[in-house]
Amino acid sequence: MELYWAWVCAATLATCYVLRRLNGWYYDVKLRKKQYPLPPGDMGWPLIGNLIPFYKDFSSGRPNSFINNLLLKYGEGGIYKTHLFGNPSIIVCEPEICMRVLTDDVNFRVGYPTTIKELIRLKHISRAEHKQYRRLVNTLPILDHQALATLYLERIENIVTNSLEELSSMKHPVELLKEMKKVTFKVFIHILMGSSIHHMIIENMDTSFAELTNGILSAPINAPGFVFHKALKARKKLAKILQSVVDERRLRSKNGQEGKDKVFLDNLLEAKDENGRKRDDEYIVDVLIAQLFAGHETSATALMWTILYLTQHPHILEKAKKEQEEIMKARVSSQGRLNLQEIKQMVYLSQVIDETLRCANIVFTTFREAISDVNINGYVIPNGWRVLVWARAVHMNPKYYPNPEEFNPSRWDDYHGKAGTFLPFGAGSRLCPGKDLAKLEISVFLHYFLLNYKLERINAECPITFLPILKPVDNCLAKVIKVS
Ligand code: HEM
């Protein structure tokens, strides 16, 4: 009997071993004729690859372990094979290699996982499509500071000051992240679609967006009860709401009511494809969803983390507050509002925001796909494989940021990091076009917050989750208190 159980155990172990190695062997055999070997690494289990350790590390509050384990096992080369989000993939996490991938549009294109592809339906996978899309995005006057300040500063200030007043008048604690999403959503809706969008539409879209975001890095299973299924339903709802906005805007322009306030949606309605044909409504709605997704959730999360980090580090908060008080002291009495010059004087605040982006890693990886075999540092990235440019690992590498876990805005004093060491907004031709807008929104909010308010968290020790985006599990339940 004992011998029988010994055999059962041995057979089970052997089966597990073979299954565990099967994925790696499969790709080794398949790619044996390539000129260069695959980078070191581990392809995980058949079908699911390394999803389990990834989810385990990210949901248990140790997101750096995932890469640190690769470094420990396979050396510090910064290029590793893996299998993640349904695809054989190469993780890159050394600045030079990250930059090589992000700036090479000939050999790489965007390569998002199925969930992102279906939920965001990006229209700019190929180089030609991307050029057209980027031309469209460039019609948004958000790429230079002067245009941003002239067109949107006043509006952003109004949204921010109203929001802070409202939050501080609430009797009950609020979920700060949700409230910050409302702020960035209102700003972005105004920029994309104008100020005439009804309050109820904004509320409805906001809820659907939260559900859509939950599905971004979920298991791609479209069946009732699964997060991805719920996210797809939310997307449908969003598309319906946005279609009604498109219809209304088209009617306005048909009736000559467009007026002076031409917005991004008007440019979209006029946009043509490469054959000179106007874009259909499906395209327009997809682009609006992609823009809203790219712009509001990221900025809101960055805003919440900046407030949170400041609140957790009172000496840093004091220094940032002092800078704002100095700016106010220097202001002439006839000037009632913030201006661009004052924003430019917020040097320390800008460092606080950069440090937040480094520590919070809101977009922890960007996704590319190799469109030919590419040789990097003597390893092959095979045609069709995904490349994960793991910015989080660069930002948390003590080689580039000593004591990386410490929140220390002063590390940016006279900082001259080499290319590829700071990638919160990506790099290359897909560098985030909203980076200045995001920083402007955050700066305006913090200006008023630091001067007049403080935050009191309800659960200061609340655990943090890293998926789908870094946040306290309670969405930062807190009271916003007016102090002046
Ligand atoms: C703190 C806030 C933000 C962060 C951390 C962030 C991060 C990023 C990153 C990392 C990328 C590169 C993606 C890639 O290479 O595949 C990107 C692209 C993009 N972002 Fe942002 N973003 C932020 C705010 C915004 C805002 C406010 C907008 C509004 C216009 C925006 C619009 C976009 C668009 C349209 C792209 C795609 C660009 C392209 O493919 O050419 N983002 N963002």
Side-chain angles (χ1 to χ4, degrees):
M1 196 64 180
E2 270 174 21
L3 195 64
Y4 168 78
W5 282 113
W7 271 107
V8 170
C9 284
T12 313
L13 282 174
T15 313
C16 282
Y17 178 81
V18 170
L19 271 177
R20 183 67 184 78
R21 296 277 161 252
L22 207 59
N23 220 16
W25 291 334
Y26 169 75
Y27 287 106
D28 283 345
V29 172
K30 194 174 165 197
L31 301 169
R32 69 187 180 283
K33 293 210 174 114
K34 298 279 178 204
Q35 195 184 354
Y36 297 98
L38 281 169
D42 167 24
M43 300 303 287
W45 296 86
L47 297 176
I48 54 168
N50 285 310
L51 262 186
I52 293 175
F54 168 79
Y55 281 130
K56 209 173 104 212
D57 288 340
F58 268 68
S59 55
S60 64
R62 291 178 287 110
N64 301 329
S65 303
F66 188 71
I67 296 292
N68 289 344
N69 285 340
L70 288 177
L71 261 77
L72 273 177
K73 272 195 204 157
Y74 305 108
E76 297 195 2
I79 175 163
Y80 310 97
K81 68 179 173 199
T82 187
H83 195 291
L84 262 187
F85 313 121
N87 301 102
S89 306
I90 303 291
I91 290 179
V92 299
C93 56
E94 269 299 315
E96 298 83 9
I97 311 179
C98 295
M99 286 306 281
R100 234 192 107 178
V101 173
L102 292 176
T103 54
D104 181 351
D105 292 339
V106 175
N107 290 304
F108 298 101
R109 62 181 180 191
V110 282
Y112 292 109
T114 320
T115 44
I116 301 189
K117 267 199 275 189
E118 290 199 21
L119 290 170
I120 310 300
R121 295 212 203 140
L122 293 168
K123 295 291 176 200
H124 51 284
I125 302 295
S126 75
R127 259 172 106 188
E129 282 163 344
H130 180 244
K131 264 194 181 155
Q132 283 206 3
Y133 173 76
R134 207 55 202 218
R135 256 202 300 274
L136 202 58
V137 172
N138 288 350
T139 63
L140 272 167
I142 57 171
L143 302 179
D144 86 276
H145 289 261
Q146 190 62 51
L148 258 176
T150 315
L151 289 167
Y152 303 127
L153 187 53
E154 191 177 332
R155 181 74 186 183
I156 295 175
E157 264 189 300
N158 288 342
I159 291 173
V160 160
T161 47
N162 287 341
S163 158
L164 278 165
E165 266 315 299
E166 200 185 315
L167 289 176
S168 64
S169 69
M170 287 191 181
K171 298 245 169 355
H172 304 293
V174 292
E175 289 181 25
L176 190 68
L177 181 56
K178 278 194 180 166
E179 300 304 324
M180 295 306 95
K181 281 189 200 171
K182 284 184 196 162
V183 170
T184 57
F185 205 64
K186 279 183 197 158
V187 171
F188 210 36
I189 288 273
H190 170 75
I191 293 175
L192 290 181
M193 301 173 218
S195 48
S196 58
I197 305 285
H198 197 274
H199 171 71
M200 280 304 286
I201 292 187
I202 296 186
E203 291 271 310
N204 277 337
M205 276 204 273
D206 197 30
T207 321
S208 302
F209 248 103
E211 284 169 9
L212 182 146
T213 308
N214 283 340
I216 285 300
L217 288 179
S218 62
I221 303 170
N222 183 10
F226 285 87
V227 178
F228 184 54
H229 180 73
K230 210 171 164 193
L232 281 170
K233 274 171 83 177
R235 191 198 195 280
K236 260 195 191 156
K237 212 164 137 190
L238 262 177
K240 212 167 151 193
I241 300 172
L242 285 168
Q243 182 62 56
S244 69
V245 175
V246 169
D247 292 342
E248 206 219 292
R249 194 78 195 179
R250 188 174 277 128
L251 198 69
R252 254 174 76 123
S253 93
K254 217 172 171 182
N255 295 339
Q257 295 168 326
E258 209 173 67
K260 281 187 288 170
D261 63 331
K262 202 167 176 201
V263 292
F264 181 69
L265 179 51
D266 298 314
N267 300 336
L268 254 178
L269 291 173
E270 285 162 16
K272 296 193 173 132
D273 64 16
E274 64 280 15
N275 301 316
R277 278 192 301 263
K278 277 210 167 174
R279 297 294 193 172
D280 60 22
D281 282 6
E282 196 187 330
Y283 179 94
I284 293 173
V285 168
D286 285 352
V287 170
L288 286 176
I289 291 181
Q291 287 288 316
L292 280 166
F293 172 74
H296 104 282
E297 185 99 15
T298 45
S299 310
T301 309
L303 178 51
M304 179 205 67
W305 275 107
T306 319
I307 299 169
L308 212 51
Y309 284 136
L310 283 170
T311 308
Q312 286 166 349
H313 299 87
H315 63 291
I316 297 174
L317 185 139
E318 260 328 296
K319 192 169 169 185
K321 183 172 176 164
K322 215 162 172 212
E323 182 179 68
Q324 300 306 316
E325 286 169 347
E326 294 297 324
I327 287 171
M328 290 307 285
K329 262 193 225 154
R331 185 183 277 185
V332 289
S333 54
S334 56
Q335 183 193 325
R337 292 180 164 277
L338 271 171
N339 63 29
L340 186 58
Q341 274 63 43
E342 289 171 335
I343 304 266
K344 284 183 178 163
Q345 285 160 22
M346 300 178 186
V347 177
Y348 187 65
L349 194 66
S350 174
Q351 294 183 195
V352 169
I353 298 170
D354 284 350
E355 183 67 348
T356 301
L357 293 168
R358 184 190 71 80
C359 291
N361 287 295
I362 289 148
V363 180
F364 69 86
T365 182
T366 43
F367 299 86
R368 293 291 182 272
E369 180 186 335
I371 44 180
S372 59
D373 285 353
V374 188
N375 159 29
I376 290 191
N377 293 358
Y379 297 115
V380 65
I381 299 183
N383 185 4
W385 279 42
R386 297 294 192 276
V387 185
L388 307 176
V389 180
W390 212 276
R392 172 173 199 102
V394 180
H395 297 161
M396 287 292 143
N397 190 333
K399 255 194 304 188
Y400 308 113
Y401 299 99
N403 205 357
E405 305 280 345
E406 186 195 1
F407 181 78
N408 175 17
S410 297
R411 72 168 81 236
W412 297 95
D413 294 344
D414 303 317
Y415 178 80
H416 299 291
K418 64 175 180 177
T421 49
F422 190 50
L423 295 167
F425 295 109
S429 66
R430 291 176 190 267
L431 175 72
C432 175
K435 64 185 186 20
D436 292 337
L437 170 63
K439 279 188 91 168
L440 179 72
E441 280 179 86
I442 299 172
S443 304
V444 174
F445 195 98
L446 289 174
H447 168 78
Y448 287 101
F449 176 80
L450 285 166
L451 288 174
N452 306 309
Y453 300 87
K454 68 175 183 175
L455 189 80
E456 266 182 23
R457 287 188 73 185
I458 305 302
N459 317 307
E461 303 301 321
C462 178
I464 287 168
T465 174
F466 290 80
L467 285 176
I469 211 160
L470 176 71
K471 60 174 188 165
V473 172
D474 68 354
N475 283 333
C476 193
L477 196 64
K479 279 186 175 170
V480 176
I481 296 166
K482 194 161 187 167
V483 289
S484 63

